[in-house]
Amino acid sequence: MASHARPRPAGTRVAGIRTPALATAALTSVALLSQTATAAPSTDDKPSLEEVEKKVDDLYRQAESATEKYNSAKEKTAAQRKEVDTLLDDVAQRTQKLNEAREELGSFAAAQYRTGASAPDTATFLLADTPQDYFDQTQLMGRMTDRQKGAVDDYISAQSATMKKRQEATESLETLTGSQADLKTAKATVQRKLSAARELLSQLTAEEKARLAAIEKKKQEEAARKAAELAEQQKAAEQKASPSPSETTQTTDSSYATKADKALAFARAQVGKPYVWGATGPESYDCSGLTQAAWNAAGISLPRTTYDQVNFGTTVSLANAQPGDLVFFYDDVSHVGLYIGNGMMIHAPKPGAYVREESIYYDGESAIHSVVRPA
């Protein structure tokens, strides 16, 4: 890059020493140049196109990681909301039983009042905070009929169960509130990262965008070359394998291949649909939403997030990857694709992109985390 520094003024020198007048002028010039440099930074400070590309890619990765956290929080929130609803319904039913038991005790009190029969002070019992303590008095319990004792037992049991369920509902509501806060935070993080990436891209000139596209094309060509190498390695490994595998292995491979074919057929039908973070279909998907839907079509219920999918099934080496396997990426396991063979996969790449077939080396060999066979 050409230097933007101005040439130094040529002053008159006498025996190698600048004359005082010229020296003063030189100092003034240096001061002005210094002020100009402070007011208007050099264009050399502008990040290179490669740096912009890396920053954008990093932001998209961070957004995808935040998306998986959002998916996890959303799933937990839904489950906890269902649990809260169940507990509240249970509390309502138990409260109804408690009221019925109270009414029955009240009817005993009314009957005893009408007949003048000697009996425990039921009205006092109904107002007591701790009915068990009240009825622990043997002399009072001894004056009750079996039916009255049964009513008291029912009341105490109903009250205890109701209080316990109310406590469970309160704790579950607190947990739900926390999950909702996590959901809100994850959503805000995704939106912030995507906005930052869009802002960086919007600042590029048309020429820079064209150069960026050329850089991306070169990366894709390298990824395709690596995929072809893997395909050759897998083909060579298959040729070296025993020509007569065991019957058990044949049955297992056949069963898996049948399910994998269904998952892959579904995934191929989604090619061209947009990536939308948090989406599970049918019109759009994020990465784990696509793999979940694909294997669901094959009768296998995958978990929702990459964090859980990576632990669902059997981990295999990349050299032994088969069509249908899940390929996970990055140290934080924030991305996943569906392996289709020959070093290629179907995946929902990132915001602004569409479901597509692509080399598993799309972001370099080091990005590959693991391969998992889910069935």
Side-chain angles (χ1 to χ4, degrees):
M1 182 176 289
S3 172
H4 297 283
R6 298 181 183 178
R8 293 179 61 184
T12 302
R13 293 178 181 274
V14 178
I17 303 175
R18 193 184 301 275
T19 61
L22 291 176
T24 301
L27 290 172
T28 302
S29 177
V30 170
L32 289 173
L33 284 172
S34 177
Q35 291 174 0
T36 302
T38 302
S42 169
T43 54
D44 290 344
D45 294 335
K46 183 178 179 180
S48 68
L49 197 59
E50 289 75 11
E51 290 172 334
V52 171
E53 181 200 30
K54 184 179 185 305
K55 182 63 176 177
V56 170
D57 286 346
D58 286 345
L59 285 168
Y60 278 138
R61 278 185 53 193
Q62 292 167 19
E64 192 162 36
S65 180
T67 294
E68 290 305 311
K69 292 178 181 177
Y70 169 85
N71 292 338
S72 178
K74 184 178 180 180
E75 191 173 44
K76 289 179 180 178
T77 299
Q80 287 162 357
R81 182 177 289 111
K82 184 177 180 180
E83 180 181 350
V84 168
D85 290 343
T86 300
L87 285 170
L88 290 177
D89 287 343
D90 196 353
V91 167
Q93 293 174 8
R94 292 180 183 278
T95 300
Q96 178 62 30
K97 291 180 180 179
L98 183 63
N99 290 337
E100 291 172 357
R102 186 187 293 272
E103 290 174 1
E104 186 172 4
L105 288 173
S107 67
F108 288 147
Q112 290 166 351
Y113 176 79
R114 288 194 300 270
T115 60
S118 176
D121 188 349
T122 310
T124 301
F125 164 77
L126 291 174
L127 296 175
D129 291 330
T130 55
Q132 182 63 63
D133 292 342
Y134 182 87
F135 284 107
D136 276 345
Q137 301 177 51
T138 304
Q139 60 181 8
L140 293 177
M141 292 297 289
R143 291 157 54 189
M144 291 184 177
T145 65
D146 289 341
R147 184 181 176 189
Q148 288 173 323
K149 290 178 182 178
V152 169
D153 289 341
D154 289 345
Y155 180 86
I156 293 172
S157 177
Q159 187 184 57
S160 176
T162 301
M163 291 176 65
K164 181 178 179 180
K165 286 298 178 181
R166 282 176 179 167
Q167 181 62 32
E168 289 180 14
T170 298
E171 293 173 355
S172 189
L173 278 169
E174 291 174 353
T175 303
L176 175 60
T177 300
S179 294
Q180 288 173 328
D182 292 341
L183 185 65
K184 184 177 180 180
T185 299
K187 183 176 182 179
T189 300
V190 174
Q191 293 172 331
R192 185 171 63 253
K193 298 298 182 182
L194 293 181
S195 295
R198 286 192 291 265
E199 177 64 22
L200 277 175
L201 290 173
S202 70
Q203 294 173 2
L204 298 178
T205 64
E207 180 184 354
E208 288 173 327
K209 289 178 180 178
R211 287 170 53 201
L212 193 62
I215 293 173
E216 181 62 27
K217 182 179 179 181
K218 187 175 181 180
K219 285 176 60 177
Q220 291 176 354
E221 289 173 350
E222 175 61 16
R225 185 187 68 78
K226 292 287 294 181
E229 285 184 1
L230 178 62
E232 287 298 322
Q233 292 171 5
Q234 291 177 333
K235 183 178 179 180
E238 288 175 1
Q239 291 175 345
K240 290 182 180 180
S242 172
S244 301
S246 67
E247 183 177 348
T248 301
T249 302
Q250 288 179 332
T251 302
T252 301
D253 290 347
S254 175
S255 174
Y256 179 74
T258 299
K259 295 174 183 176
D261 285 346
K262 292 180 180 179
L264 289 171
F266 178 93
R268 287 192 175 95
Q270 313 313 309
V271 170
K273 293 184 178 180
Y275 174 104
V276 174
W277 65 274
T280 57
E283 302 302 325
S284 58
Y285 298 87
D286 63 18
C287 66
S288 57
L290 176 64
T291 51
Q292 182 190 47
W295 270 105
N296 280 353
I300 303 297
S301 297
L302 288 187
R304 173 64 181 95
T305 69
T306 55
Y307 311 132
D308 292 325
Q309 289 182 10
V310 74
N311 296 315
F312 189 93
T314 304
T315 300
V316 298
S317 67
L318 183 58
N320 292 320
Q322 295 181 15
D325 291 351
L326 303 175
V327 185
F328 295 90
F329 298 86
Y330 311 118
D331 291 340
D332 61 356
V333 199
S334 57
H335 188 68
V336 63
L338 193 67
Y339 191 63
I340 61 177
N342 297 324
M344 302 293 287
M345 66 178 174
I346 297 175
H347 69 148
K350 60 185 178 180
Y354 298 83
V355 176
R356 65 193 183 202
E357 292 188 12
E358 192 165 30
S359 168
I360 61 173
Y361 298 102
Y362 79 106
D363 202 20
E365 186 172 1
S366 62
I368 299 174
H369 178 275
S370 58
V371 180
V372 172
R373 189 157 300 151

